[in-house]
Amino acid sequence: MEYVKIEYTDPIYPKNLLQIKDYPKELYILGNSELLNKQHKVSIIGSRDCTEYGRKYANWFAKELSKKDICIVSGLAIGIDAIAHNGAIKNSRKNNSCIRRRV
């Protein structure tokens, strides 16, 4: 899988991002880009240097949210962010996870 660059003028660009003052002009996407405009999305963020407790519950929250058809969006930073994102992919719906990065 490779990154896809989308600009704010692209039809798949997340509509909710256009509502903020300084929205990113471009995003790099890895995953199912159709999920970017899904109604229910959440990002799980946290420490890069996380504890085992943090790892366990980031994974658990991502799994449970994905089961309820909530899309997990991530920048895939080291630590809690990546653990939560991977939890959504491994433990639940592979089609319910998307990574977006601002570069």
Side-chain angles (χ1 to χ4, degrees):
M1 209 181 317
E2 61 183 62
Y3 287 98
V4 175
K5 177 182 172 183
I6 62 169
E7 296 183 5
Y8 71 99
T9 55
D10 290 329
I12 62 170
Y13 187 91
K15 307 296 183 260
N16 60 338
L17 285 181
L18 294 172
Q19 297 174 13
I20 61 175
K21 183 179 178 183
D22 292 321
Y23 59 87
K25 302 298 185 223
E26 58 190 34
L27 298 171
Y28 290 83
I29 308 300
L30 178 66
N32 185 350
S33 63
E34 293 175 12
L35 298 173
L36 291 173
N37 285 297
K38 194 169 184 176
Q39 183 177 1
H40 301 292
K41 299 179 285 289
V42 69
S43 290
I44 299 173
I45 59 171
S47 175
R48 289 176 180 256
D49 186 23
C50 52
T51 63
E52 187 56 39
Y53 178 87
R55 286 184 194 90
K56 176 181 175 180
Y57 283 99
N59 186 62
W60 181 83
F61 275 115
K63 175 184 173 183
E64 295 303 313
L65 290 168
S66 290
K67 284 182 183 178
K68 299 196 180 322
D69 203 30
I70 297 172
C71 180
I72 307 302
V73 180
S74 172
L76 206 57
I78 296 169
I80 294 295
D81 305 42
I83 291 163
H85 191 76
N86 287 328
I89 292 170
K90 289 179 187 172
N91 295 317
S92 194
R93 304 174 184 201
K94 289 189 178 191
N95 65 343
N96 205 22
S97 184
C98 182
I99 300 170
R100 68 180 177 205
R101 287 194 159 176
R102 182 178 178 179
V103 176

